[in-house]
Amino acid sequence: MFEVETERFGVVFRGRPERRARLSINAFDYNCHLDLIKLLRQEGELVKLRRARQKMSELFPLTEEIWLDWLKDEIKMASESSEREKVYELFERAVKDYICPEIWLEYAQYSIGGIGQEGGIERVRSIFERALTAVGLHVTKGTALWEAYREFENAILETAQPAPGSVPSPEQQQMLCTQLEKIHTLFRRQLGIPLLDMETSYAEYEEWSEDPIPETTIKNYKKALQQLEKCKPYEEALLGAETPKLAEYQAYIDFEMKAGDPARIQLIYERALAENCLVPDLWARYNQYLDRQLKVKELVLSAHDRAVRNCPWTVGLWIRYLLAMERHRVDHSSISEMFEKALNAGFIQATDYVEIWQAYLDYLRRRVDFTQDSSKELEELRSAFARAVEYLKQEVEERFSESGDPSCTIMQNWARVEARLCNNMQKARELWDNIMTKGNAKYANMWLEYYNLERAHGDTQHCRKALHRAVQCTSDYPEHVCEVLLTLERIEGTLEDWDAAVQKTENRLARVNEQRAKAAEKEAALAKLEEEKAEQRKQARAEKKASKKAKKARSGEKRKADDDDEGEWGQEEEAEQPSKRHKGDGLLEEDMEVEMGLFGRSGPEKPDRPANQKEKATTSRKDIPKVLHDSSKDNVTVFVSNLSYNMAEPEVKLKELFESCGEVAEIRPVFSNKGTFRGYCYVEFKEEKSARQALGLDRQAVEGRPMFVSPCVDKNKHPDFKVFRYSTTLEKHKLFISGLPFSCTKEELEDVCKAHGNVKDIRLVTNRAGKPKGLAYVEYENEAQASQAVLKMDGLTVKEHVIKVMISNPPLRKLPDKAEAGRASQFAVPRQVYGARGKGRTQLSMVPRALQRQGNPVAKAENGMVQNSAAASSAPPEEPKKMSNADFAKMLLKKSAPLIEVVQNNLFCPQLCTSSFQALNCVRTQIPAVPRDPAG
């Protein structure tokens, strides 16, 4: 009957039994409660439905819609007076969760049905008065309550009217006057409050009243109208805004805070929370206002209770609740019970448990009278400290693989309490000994903390003993600990103590210096090895360039190889194209863009080329003059990269794509000297807004690869310019999923994730070629949904793959150490400079063995250039005899043609040589410089 079965992503969720099982695992599964209630209501199982609603209301404040459905179902079943009383109790619970005008209006109207019972009229009036106090100031919905209250009093007035033609008795006359005055009072109260459609209420009062409206009422009415005009912009902003409207509500709250009316401030907070009940910061600000300004016990504790029921995963709300309970003298058993609920709330970080334990231990410490040697409160405090340490060691560490308290702050505080407040240094020393055995003995600050405690509450002997152990164990700052030991002995020690301290510190520092020297030597050896590898790579690149030049010289494309004129050799190609340098070699991106001179063709290109003329088209691109980029048009230009090298007619393909953003003035694809497309281009628009709109196409798939679109910015003029990067900080509303099958699509993943909350965005992580990496980021609307999804999806089997789900908190990228930079400057050999992502595949050495000359290395290469050997005055004497340009060229010509062809076909070629040596003039590299490093 209730086996409702759906299949998502290879995972089967069944009907009610499945939901019960999920609730037994995690009672704080809000969506599962909703699903179960909806299913039971469809089946008409009212008894089980009532039980399910009751269980959910104990854990969470229910929304207005849930309460109204529940109340309507209970009203239908209530026929006896005893059952009506249960409905009244249910209404009382409903109005405490949120301030909802609709629930108050339903409550008042339901109470009118019991007007025939004893005290029924007074009960109705009491409910109406409470409703006006709660929501009567609501600018848009308050009028309905005032009008309902007046209609009720008018109905009472009609029943009190004497029969036509009869003379009312003095008692009846008095009752009529009293009832008329109540209606007058309601009108006057309402007209003094800024509410929408006030003019209609004023006209109704004028029509109803036989007497002129008092001047005081008119004055209050005009004042309320002025206040309404001030509120209207904020109300209109709320009406026009989309959920969650946090910015609009915050502006409204700031406005009311300046006005200073506590009732109105409380109401606007409650209105904001009714629509944003899962925003912890909003609850925190509201509770802070109540704690510091209103300080009404029932109001404050109610708000704190609703806050932790709505956002149980937020440890800060629980801590504020415990403090508020202590502040308002709540009994100890209630506070302890609330603390136990906090432990079961399911925090998302191990450190949250440390914070809640610390808050509870602080409360217990404040209960103890330390003037007594022993008390029940003191024993409870010690027991709580021991339980906290054990809880973090077992429960928290088992769940998070860490205790959340690596520096043992709870045990440190326990030791301070024992030493300072209980005068029990023996227990404090035992605790500190336990702290040091947990991996803290190598930190100087931990030893100094213990030393300061001994200094204040212990004796000199234990201080000396602690410092001697610290000198022996500390590995981070041993000099500091040694200095403290010597200072102690200088002030209080004997000569024997001083000699022992000096000897111990000298021996320890000698060992430390020796270890550091060995570590430095090891690092230097590694650095030297890296330098040698870099030099070999540079030599290989230089030989490749020389081989390619020899091939061109032999085919007649260059000048004769035996020409000794260094100033003329290689100038022809340099005049034809500026030299290009890789971005990772130290040049800024704008330098790369201007020097490449590959910003498109100056003349129009024929739209249709036969396939068999591809080689001719490639050759024709060589002869087209290069157009340098005009930096004055950066605001209307975007830089497009990571395109396929095999893209046919990139101008046509990209024009169709970018025309949706606006009129395209020009598309300048970048080609190599051989006429092949280099995978990036510049798109120039007619208008600046079109260029901004084009940035929205970033990472759109084009021929199976994600296309990168970024602004065209001169980094020489704007060095602080940063391109878009995904966030690398903690985002509690976003999940990181790993272990996904490569065949997983965005739609399939969304089907699984949307069962646990509102999914705002899903990003499947791919490599530069657009291939999936089995990773994804899923963004939910709020932290609550994300935390629920972690609990439900972590370890889920998806297409025979077990996925891992966690809150998105990417680790920081390791930056080069300053020490390494210092070592680099220490060695005379310069190091190869790579890009932001290190050495790429395009920088592998692929030099044929025939070109590797044993014992005759090429001069040091730096930044893709062979340096002039004459400039290296500090070269070792054993270096071989240096060759002139002509000698070098002749040597290359003697190489066999097949060997030169192998070198020429090598795809990996360094950049053009632009140094004064100019012995080589190789072709441009086939690998384009990607202008940015995309995250993910």
Side-chain angles (χ1 to χ4, degrees):
M1 175 172 128
F2 43 78
E3 285 296 318
V4 181
E5 185 173 312
T6 59
E7 183 171 352
R8 295 188 184 94
F9 221 33
V11 183
V12 178
F13 296 98
R14 300 189 181 275
R16 198 173 67 205
E18 175 67 20
R19 290 178 175 85
R20 285 179 174 173
R22 285 160 58 188
L23 287 176
S24 64
I25 297 174
N26 181 19
F28 289 93
D29 191 338
Y30 186 88
N31 293 326
C32 194
H33 281 283
L34 290 180
D35 294 341
L36 183 60
I37 289 173
K38 182 179 179 181
L39 192 60
L40 291 173
R41 196 162 190 251
Q42 291 174 353
E43 297 168 359
E45 299 188 21
L46 298 180
V47 177
K48 295 179 180 179
L49 176 61
R50 179 185 295 169
R51 191 181 305 124
R53 284 167 167 166
Q54 180 70 27
K55 183 64 177 177
M56 185 178 182
S57 67
E58 292 174 358
L59 296 173
F60 305 100
L62 304 185
T63 62
E64 178 183 329
E65 293 78 10
I66 298 176
W67 272 119
L68 289 175
D69 289 341
W70 190 0
L71 291 167
K72 289 176 182 178
D73 291 342
E74 295 293 344
I75 289 173
K76 292 177 183 177
M77 295 186 292
S79 57
E80 303 296 332
S81 59
S82 60
E83 294 176 343
R84 287 187 64 88
E85 288 300 321
K86 291 183 180 179
V87 176
Y88 281 125
E89 293 176 2
L90 199 59
F91 268 114
E92 288 295 330
R93 290 173 55 190
V95 297
K96 290 179 180 177
D97 276 356
Y98 299 106
I99 293 184
C100 299
E102 288 80 1
I103 294 180
W104 275 109
L105 188 59
E106 190 74 23
Y107 190 10
Q109 290 174 347
Y110 179 75
S111 65
I112 294 175
I115 196 173
Q117 299 177 355
E118 183 180 356
I121 295 178
E122 294 303 320
R123 185 173 197 170
V124 173
R125 284 174 175 160
S126 173
I127 292 174
F128 266 119
E129 287 295 334
R130 291 172 57 201
L132 292 180
T133 302
V135 294
L137 298 178
H138 199 297
V139 176
T140 57
K141 299 181 179 180
T143 303
L145 273 171
W146 288 99
E147 291 178 350
Y149 196 0
R150 287 205 317 272
E151 289 176 5
F152 169 72
E153 294 294 353
N154 276 320
I156 299 295
L157 179 63
E158 292 295 330
T159 60
Q161 292 288 351
S166 63
V167 179
S169 64
E171 292 79 8
Q172 290 178 330
Q173 190 68 30
Q174 180 66 29
M175 184 182 298
L176 287 172
C177 292
T178 303
Q179 191 63 26
L180 284 171
E181 184 60 29
K182 287 182 179 179
I183 298 175
H184 275 289
T185 303
L186 282 176
F187 267 118
R188 293 166 186 168
R189 289 169 60 189
Q190 180 182 354
L191 293 175
I193 299 173
L195 299 172
L196 290 182
D197 205 17
M198 290 183 63
E199 297 82 356
T200 304
S201 300
Y202 184 80
E204 184 180 349
Y205 185 29
E206 283 184 320
E207 183 181 352
W208 180 85
S209 178
E210 297 178 355
D211 301 327
I213 299 179
E215 289 295 330
T216 306
T217 303
I218 296 175
K219 183 178 179 181
N220 292 337
Y221 167 70
K222 292 181 178 179
K223 184 178 180 181
L225 273 179
Q226 295 176 355
Q227 190 172 359
L228 177 63
E229 292 300 320
K230 296 179 181 179
C231 295
K232 273 186 178 180
Y234 299 100
E235 294 290 345
E236 292 171 356
L238 289 175
L239 290 175
E242 297 181 357
T243 305
K245 309 178 184 179
L246 283 173
E248 290 77 14
Y249 272 118
Q250 189 57 51
Y252 207 164
I253 291 171
D254 295 338
F255 166 74
E256 294 293 357
M257 292 285 282
K258 291 180 181 179
D261 187 344
R264 297 190 65 84
I265 294 172
Q266 180 191 355
L267 178 63
I268 190 58
Y269 263 120
E270 291 287 352
R271 286 178 60 184
L273 289 168
E275 295 189 40
N276 300 278
C277 59
L278 300 179
V279 180
D281 291 341
L282 188 58
W283 280 109
R285 292 195 294 270
Y286 181 40
N287 290 337
Q288 185 181 56
Y289 171 76
L290 295 178
D291 287 334
R292 296 181 180 180
Q293 301 298 327
L294 297 187
K295 302 180 181 179
V296 179
K297 179 179 179 180
E298 292 75 13
L299 185 61
V300 170
L301 295 182
S302 172
H304 280 287
D305 182 69
R306 289 185 291 139
V308 297
R309 288 169 63 199
N310 272 292
C311 307
W313 66 89
T314 307
V315 67
L317 297 178
W318 288 100
I319 293 175
R320 291 186 179 90
Y321 193 8
L322 293 177
L323 292 173
M325 295 177 75
E326 181 183 3
R327 197 177 293 118
H328 290 281
R329 313 289 184 189
V330 178
D331 60 277
H332 174 61
S333 60
S334 298
I335 297 179
S336 298
E337 181 181 355
M338 191 56 58
F339 168 71
E340 295 298 332
K341 288 183 179 179
L343 286 182
N344 297 322
F347 300 130
I348 60 178
Q349 297 183 48
T351 53
D352 293 344
Y353 288 93
V354 179
E355 293 180 25
I356 193 66
W357 267 110
Q358 193 58 62
Y360 183 61
L361 292 170
D362 292 343
Y363 156 72
L364 294 178
R365 194 265 308 162
R366 289 190 285 267
R367 294 181 66 243
V368 178
D369 182 8
F370 289 101
T371 58
Q372 303 178 7
D373 293 337
S374 179
S375 64
K376 179 182 177 180
E377 290 79 8
L378 179 58
E379 293 305 317
E380 184 178 5
L381 174 62
R382 286 172 171 163
S383 175
F385 268 118
R387 183 190 168 198
V389 173
E390 191 68 20
Y391 186 91
L392 295 176
K393 180 180 179 181
Q394 294 183 355
E395 301 289 337
V396 178
E397 192 165 353
E398 180 180 352
R399 178 180 172 188
F400 297 96
S401 300
E402 59 167 327
S403 67
D405 190 17
S407 58
C408 302
T409 55
I410 289 182
M411 293 184 69
Q412 289 188 45
N413 291 332
W414 188 3
R416 293 188 189 101
V417 169
E418 294 289 353
R420 298 176 183 176
L421 302 178
C422 301
N423 297 320
N424 188 354
M425 276 302 300
Q426 183 61 32
K427 180 64 176 178
R429 293 182 184 118
E430 293 176 2
L431 290 170
W432 267 104
D433 187 67
N434 196 1
I435 292 172
M436 293 305 182
T437 59
K438 293 183 181 296
N440 293 302
K442 58 184 178 181
Y443 300 117
N445 66 317
M446 300 296 289
W447 284 107
L448 295 180
E449 189 71 29
Y450 175 39
Y451 166 75
N452 291 331
L453 190 68
E454 282 285 0
R455 193 73 171 156
H457 307 285
D459 51 52
T460 305
Q461 181 180 356
H462 283 91
C463 289
R464 181 178 290 110
K465 183 178 178 181
L467 289 178
H468 276 274
R469 290 180 58 194
V471 169
Q472 190 68 27
C473 300
T474 300
S475 60
D476 55 351
Y477 298 105
E479 295 88 352
H480 193 185
V481 176
C482 292
E483 183 181 353
V484 174
L485 175 59
L486 294 176
T487 302
L488 174 68
E489 301 300 356
R490 179 176 286 110
I491 296 175
E492 300 186 16
T494 63
L495 179 60
E496 290 77 9
D497 296 331
W498 172 261
D499 291 339
V502 170
Q503 183 179 359
K504 194 175 189 66
T505 55
E506 287 179 351
N507 292 338
R508 175 58 178 164
L509 292 179
R511 288 197 302 271
V512 168
N513 291 331
E514 183 180 353
Q515 293 171 358
R516 289 176 179 173
K518 289 181 179 179
E521 290 177 2
K522 186 177 180 180
E523 291 180 358
L526 293 175
K528 186 176 181 179
L529 181 61
E530 196 65 31
E531 294 289 341
E532 292 175 354
K533 292 181 179 179
E535 186 175 357
Q536 292 175 3
R537 289 193 293 268
K538 293 173 185 177
Q539 292 174 0
R541 286 196 296 270
E543 293 178 2
K544 290 177 186 178
K545 291 191 295 182
S547 301
K548 289 206 172 188
K549 286 302 174 184
K551 173 66 176 179
K552 289 187 178 182
R554 188 167 187 175
S555 60
E557 294 179 1
K558 298 296 178 180
R559 296 173 182 265
K560 292 183 179 181
D562 57 350
D563 191 347
D564 296 334
D565 189 356
E566 297 182 4
E568 295 179 359
W569 195 60
Q571 287 183 355
E572 179 180 350
E573 187 175 357
E574 289 182 355
E576 181 178 316
Q577 60 177 33
S579 106
K580 176 201 165 189
R581 301 184 184 180
H582 194 283
K583 184 178 177 181
D585 288 335
L587 286 182
L588 296 175
E589 183 179 351
E590 182 61 19
D591 292 336
M592 176 195 70
E593 295 169 0
V594 174
E595 285 187 277
M596 279 191 291
L598 299 171
F599 296 98
R601 282 169 272 182
S602 61
E605 190 173 340
K606 295 182 180 180
D608 298 321
R609 277 199 187 98
N612 58 2
Q613 293 184 358
K614 181 178 180 182
E615 184 177 353
K616 293 182 179 179
T618 301
T619 306
S620 65
R621 292 192 186 106
K622 297 181 181 179
D623 303 327
I624 296 175
K626 313 302 179 181
V627 181
L628 295 181
H629 176 60
D630 186 0
S631 60
S632 64
K633 296 183 179 180
D634 283 349
N635 60 326
V636 294
T637 306
V638 294
F639 182 66
V640 183
S641 60
N642 202 43
L643 300 171
S644 174
Y645 298 164
N646 299 323
M647 179 182 290
E649 301 296 339
E651 303 97 322
V652 178
K653 178 77 175 178
L654 296 176
K655 187 171 184 179
E656 295 175 357
L657 183 63
F658 284 95
E659 275 183 340
S660 60
C661 304
E663 185 178 357
V664 178
E666 185 183 6
I667 295 181
R668 300 191 294 275
V670 180
F671 298 96
S672 68
N673 291 335
K674 295 183 178 181
T676 57
F677 182 48
R678 302 179 68 85
Y680 54 95
C681 67
Y682 294 81
V683 180
E684 181 182 330
F685 292 90
K686 292 287 187 181
E687 298 179 355
E688 184 176 353
K689 64 179 182 180
S690 301
R692 290 197 298 267
Q693 187 176 349
L695 297 176
L697 299 178
D698 186 36
R699 297 180 184 274
Q700 179 171 325
V702 177
E703 295 188 1
R705 296 170 63 91
M707 174 182 67
F708 299 158
V709 183
S710 58
C712 190
V713 177
D714 184 351
K715 290 191 175 181
N716 288 328
K717 300 178 181 178
H718 306 280
D720 297 330
F721 173 76
K722 302 293 182 183
V723 297
F724 168 78
R725 292 182 185 274
Y726 289 104
S727 175
T728 56
T729 58
L730 174 65
E731 296 178 280
K732 295 185 179 181
H733 66 289
K734 185 181 291 187
L735 303 183
F736 173 70
I737 303 178
S738 60
L740 289 169
F742 291 163
S743 60
C744 163
T745 64
K746 185 175 181 180
E747 291 73 19
E748 289 174 329
L749 183 58
E750 185 176 8
D751 286 341
V752 171
C753 297
K754 70 182 181 182
H756 313 301
N758 230 349
V759 177
K760 293 181 63 178
D761 184 46
I762 292 180
R763 177 167 65 91
L764 295 177
V765 181
T766 61
N767 58 20
R768 292 177 180 268
K771 304 298 182 182
K773 301 173 71 173
L775 310 174
Y777 289 91
V778 180
E779 182 179 356
Y780 283 91
E781 276 194 345
N782 48 59
E783 300 176 20
Q785 297 176 358
S787 61
Q788 292 297 324
V790 170
L791 296 176
K792 296 175 214 173
M793 294 172 57
D794 189 30
L796 199 66
T797 300
V798 174
K799 290 186 177 181
E800 301 180 355
H801 286 69
V802 178
I803 64 173
K804 292 184 180 181
V805 185
M806 63 191 74
I807 298 296
S808 176
N809 188 16
L812 296 177
R813 282 189 175 181
K814 293 184 179 181
L815 299 176
D817 296 335
K818 294 182 178 178
E820 184 178 349
R823 289 193 304 271
S825 62
Q826 178 181 355
F827 293 96
V829 183
R831 301 188 63 180
Q832 174 68 35
V833 181
Y834 301 114
R837 299 179 71 90
K839 182 179 120 178
R841 299 177 184 173
T842 60
Q843 292 169 301
L844 293 175
S845 178
M846 293 189 178
V847 183
R849 294 175 181 173
L851 293 182
Q852 294 179 349
R853 293 174 298 151
Q854 299 295 333
N856 189 18
V858 182
K860 181 73 180 169
E862 184 176 5
N863 291 336
M865 299 178 294
V866 180
Q867 296 179 354
N868 193 342
S869 58
S873 59
S874 60
E878 62 272 14
E879 283 190 357
K881 181 180 179 181
K882 301 178 178 59
M883 295 186 297
S884 67
N885 293 343
D887 296 335
F888 193 41
K890 290 178 182 179
M891 181 273 296
L892 290 177
L893 289 177
K894 292 179 182 179
K895 297 293 181 180
S896 62
L899 178 60
I900 297 177
E901 185 176 358
V902 169
V903 179
Q904 184 180 16
N905 292 334
N906 187 355
L907 295 179
F908 301 93
C909 180
Q911 293 78 358
L912 290 175
C913 300
T914 56
S915 66
S916 59
F917 186 47
Q918 294 183 347
L920 301 175
N921 192 2
C922 63
V923 296
R924 292 180 178 273
T925 179
Q926 302 295 320
I927 304 301
V930 177
R932 56 191 174 134
D933 182 14

